[in-house]
Amino acid sequence: MKHLKSGRKFGRPIKIRRALIKSLLGSLIRQGRLVSTLARVKEIRPLAEKLITKAKKGDLSKRRQVSRVLGPKETAKLFKDAALKYKNRKGGYTRIFRTSPRKHDRAEMAVLEFIE
């Protein structure tokens, strides 16, 4: 039974699922927006917001926590850009837009992007 188990599985084993999440987070940080399925975007959003909150603190322990999830380039960009950009904002750094369904399988698509 799935009592008190949170998170989506995406039909993948745990190692592949973690790699998928890391790559989606890296793409979001690098490009500033992510176009993917609605389920993936909804799963990535709280993780991205928590990473930005850690980056706003800016100390060494938070940098190490973020670098466990992201690569070195994404970590540096997050601490340099996002920390300054959202310094006075208390939360809600991202937004989700639903777009038209994907043509070949009609999957619900969405865009996750940073708020300016």
Side-chain angles (χ1 to χ4, degrees), residues 26-44:
S27 296
L28 175 65
I29 300 296
R30 268 185 266 115
Q31 299 169 359
R33 67 190 311 246
L34 175 70
V35 180
S36 188
T37 61
L38 184 62
R40 288 180 182 177
V41 166
K42 283 184 176 182
E43 191 69 22
I44 295 299

Side-chain angles (χ1 to χ4, degrees), residues 62-80:
K62 298 298 180 190
R63 184 176 287 268
R64 286 180 176 160
Q65 288 175 11
V66 170
S67 68
R68 281 188 290 182
V69 178
L70 299 175
K73 291 181 182 177
E74 290 87 8
T75 302
K77 183 172 182 179
L78 188 68
F79 274 79
K80 187 176 72 172

Side-chain angles (χ1 to χ4, degrees), residues 3-38:
H3 295 300
L4 295 176
K5 306 279 193 242
S6 64
R8 293 172 175 87
K9 292 189 176 184
F10 300 123
R12 291 170 166 79
I14 185 70
K15 289 183 180 180
I16 298 172
R17 191 178 331 134
R18 284 183 185 154
L20 172 71
I21 289 172
K22 285 182 180 186
S23 71
L24 289 173
L25 283 169
S27 296
L28 175 65
I29 300 296
R30 268 185 266 115
Q31 299 169 359
R33 67 190 311 246
L34 175 70
V35 180
S36 188
T37 61
L38 184 62

